[in-house]
Each structure stands twice: as structure tokens, then as C-alpha cells.
Amino acid sequence: MTIKDTPEEWEIRATDTPFVGNKTSVRTDDVVMPDGTVVRRDYQVHPGSVAVLALDEAGRVLVLRQYRHPVRHKLWEIPAGLLDVPGENPLHAAQRELYEEAHVKAEDWRVLTDVYTTPGGCDEAVRIFLARGLSDADGERFEVEDEEADMELARVPVEELVRGVLAGELHNTCLVVGVLSFVAARQGDGLDALRPAQAPWPARPFES
């Protein structure tokens, strides 16, 4: 038995979009179950996201502290953002987010992991990159607004982030998945065995 997620699509008898927002929408599908019954499923339609675990030469991860209104918390996170354009190259989006949120660039990029954040209620897919060889970005800093204007930046040792995750002190999905995936990769076949930055991503196909 191979433990691997596989694509599959059950029959949809009807679909509706009762809400359309600025970046996402809500869809309602009538889905045929294996026994022939039809049930209604509501879920958020999301363009997809990228996130960056940026590691400096001292073994520290670049993290941001940002207010997240739905959960009423300031969360420590790794740089992340939406795929603003359908078919956008995720590497280019990740490089943009690292520049805009931290004014940093990186020389070495790898795919750390791909994840569906909440597949029971949202189709968001996130590609998390590992970025190494960090340096300050060129040019003017990106002008932030809204919640981002209140962000704090820090560089934290990987081990301290792992401790915070396992202690229940850090909760952001991309940070948790990214940090633990990084440790697993480092202890396994090594970071250089990670997929290349342009590896295919069936959840959000793109052109190089």
C-alpha cells in the first residue's frame, strides 16, 4: 500500500457562489456520496498562497509578528502571501513576499513542503519554500499598510521555534509546518535533497 494523496472528484449535481469577497469566495456544491445520496458542502475558494522559511547563516529563521483578526491574536509567522494572479509562478511570488515583508533576498531556494491548510472547509493550497543565502534587498523598502504596518521582525533560532511549537505557544500553520518539515529534512536526507524551487505543483499549476 502506497501512502500518497491522490486526486479524485465526486459528481457535483449543482453549484452556487453565495458570497464573493475581495480575495476569496464561498461556494456551495451538491455532491453525490458513494451511496448515491446528495449532500451540500460549503467551502471557501482561495487563490493559493506561498510562504518562506528564510534561514540565515547563524541558523536563525526570519519571523514576523502580525495581528490576525479572525483568531484575535498576534501570531508569529514566516513571510507569506497570496498568489495574486492565476497561474503565477510560486517562486516569483515567494521572492516578492520576502522582499515586501522583510526587505530580504535569498540566493538558494528549495521547496520545503506543500500543504492544504484546511481541506475540510477551504481549498487553499500553500507551497512553503526554504530560502538560504540571505542578504538585504536592493532599493527602497516596500511601503506596508493595514495590519502589516504594525508588524515586528525577528530572527529566531530553529530550536527555539520547535520548542514553541511543541509547547503550544506558536500556532501559525505555515510556521509550524515549515519549521517541523525543516528539522525533518535536515535530519533525514539533508536540505540539498529537497525538491528544486521550480518543482511541479499540481494543486496550483504554473509556468516557469
Side-chain angles (χ1 to χ4, degrees):
M1 180 179 177
T2 301
I3 305 299
K4 180 180 179 180
D5 296 337
T6 56
E8 183 169 342
E9 188 167 349
W10 292 358
E11 180 185 354
I12 298 173
R13 292 282 174 83
T15 188
D16 185 32
T17 305
F19 171 79
V20 177
N22 185 33
K23 297 292 186 180
T24 66
S25 60
V26 173
R27 183 175 297 163
T28 299
D29 290 341
D30 292 340
V31 186
V32 180
M33 297 289 107
D35 64 359
T37 60
V38 178
V39 300
R40 181 157 291 182
R41 293 288 179 260
D42 302 314
Y43 57 99
Q44 183 184 23
V45 178
H46 193 285
S49 306
V50 292
V52 185
L53 192 143
L55 186 76
D56 69 14
E57 293 181 355
R60 301 174 303 174
V61 175
L62 195 157
V63 290
L64 318 163
R65 189 169 183 243
Q66 183 172 349
Y67 177 66
R68 294 300 187 182
H69 185 70
V71 295
R72 309 302 198 270
H73 270 71
K74 273 192 171 182
L75 300 179
W76 285 103
E77 308 177 351
I78 57 177
L82 298 176
L83 292 169
D84 292 325
V85 180
E88 181 178 16
N89 187 305
L91 174 60
H92 299 165
Q95 291 169 332
R96 180 187 67 236
E97 293 301 329
L98 187 60
Y99 163 73
E100 291 182 355
E101 294 192 347
H103 201 64
V104 165
K105 61 183 179 180
E107 294 299 321
D108 185 85
W109 291 82
R110 309 276 174 148
V111 174
L112 191 52
T113 190
D114 300 322
V115 63
Y116 290 115
T117 54
T118 49
C122 179
D123 71 350
E124 181 183 15
V126 180
R127 169 156 281 188
I128 304 176
F129 290 90
L130 171 65
R132 294 177 291 175
L134 307 186
S135 61
D136 291 337
D138 301 323
E140 298 292 327
R141 294 190 67 94
F142 181 78
E143 187 173 345
V144 296
E145 58 184 12
D146 301 328
E147 289 93 341
E148 292 183 350
D150 188 52
M151 283 195 312
E152 302 171 48
L153 288 171
R155 296 193 181 201
V156 180
V158 172
E159 293 73 19
E160 176 61 17
L161 294 176
V162 171
R163 186 207 62 78
V165 168
L166 299 181
E169 298 170 356
L170 299 171
H171 307 89
N172 176 264
T173 301
C174 292
L175 184 148
V176 171
V177 173
V179 166
L180 298 185
S181 295
F182 170 82
V183 172
R186 187 177 61 182
Q187 294 177 349
D189 294 333
L191 301 179
D192 290 337
L194 290 168
R195 287 173 291 162
Q198 298 280 14
W201 189 18
R204 293 294 185 273
F206 63 93
E207 294 184 5
S208 298

